[in-house]
Amino acid sequence: MVPVTEFLPTLRMLVDVPVPGVMETAIVKAARKFCRDSKILVKSRQFAEVYQCQSVSIVGVGAELKGAGIVTVTSKGKPLSSGSDYQIDGLDSVKFNADFSEVLVMGLAEPKANTGQLPAILLDDYVEGICAGAASILQMMPGTTWSQPELAQVNEREFVSTIRHAYRYSIEHTPALEETRPMSKREFY
């Protein structure tokens, strides 16, 4: 984890906001959207045994991250069924309907809204894209001296392009995500 302030030098090259705290809020907001849409933060937890009515979470309590969706739940390497074997109680919580052993829960994570720390991968690999997203958020603020809607569109395109690149990387390198991707069925005549 790295402080949100590590992103500021890159963001300042795109937009200069004289109000303290506004840039950091925009960075966290952009990072949350980036993580949710790109599925880049995959977390997993293993349990030797789980019991009926037990709830488990992918992200531990007190972390700077929160769950953003369950990808897969397996027991002894075999997929469990949502609805019959377990219930999804939220973006980060799975409640089991029976006892299982050797359980693996895999899910997605994103930063919390009020965090002061972001995962290092976001700084190391995606700082330009996340800062473009933050710049877009800031430049779309009406009635401010730094408002520039035309430039915001350019930055938004860069942000979306980075999300797409990260999403492709996630899908290619995490086979469990490939199975959750919606497939459209088409009929050709």
Side-chain angles (χ1 to χ4, degrees), residues 37-143:
D37 293 351
S38 70
K39 302 180 184 323
I40 199 72
L41 291 181
V42 178
K43 300 290 180 189
S44 61
R45 288 188 67 191
Q46 291 184 321
F47 302 91
E49 291 189 44
V50 294
Y51 304 101
Q52 185 175 1
C53 296
Q54 179 182 0
S55 291
V56 298
S57 148
I58 333 165
V59 181
V61 178
E64 296 285 332
L65 300 174
K66 69 177 213 61
I70 305 298
V71 174
T72 185
V73 180
T74 61
S75 174
K76 297 181 183 176
K78 295 181 180 164
L80 297 178
S81 258
S82 177
S84 60
D85 295 327
Y86 65 90
Q87 303 288 327
I88 295 181
D89 287 342
L91 294 176
D92 186 35
S93 183
V94 175
K95 182 177 179 181
F96 291 94
N97 296 335
D99 298 346
F100 295 101
S101 59
E102 298 177 38
V103 173
L104 174 68
V105 180
M106 184 182 291
L108 303 171
E110 66 184 40
K112 289 182 179 176
N114 59 351
T115 189
Q117 304 268 329
L118 294 174
I121 188 174
L122 300 182
L123 180 66
D124 296 339
D125 297 338
Y126 303 108
V127 65
E128 289 87 7
I130 290 171
C131 287
S136 173
I137 291 167
L138 293 169
Q139 291 163 338
M140 287 302 292
M141 290 180 157

Side-chain angles (χ1 to χ4, degrees), residues 4 8 11-12 15-30 133-135 137-139 141 144 146:
V4 174
L8 289 177
L11 181 55
R12 282 195 182 106
V15 63
D16 188 27
V17 178
V19 181
V22 174
M23 292 177 99
E24 291 87 344
T25 302
I27 290 168
V28 171
K29 189 172 182 180
I137 291 167
L138 293 169
Q139 291 163 338
M141 290 180 157
T144 59
W146 58 84

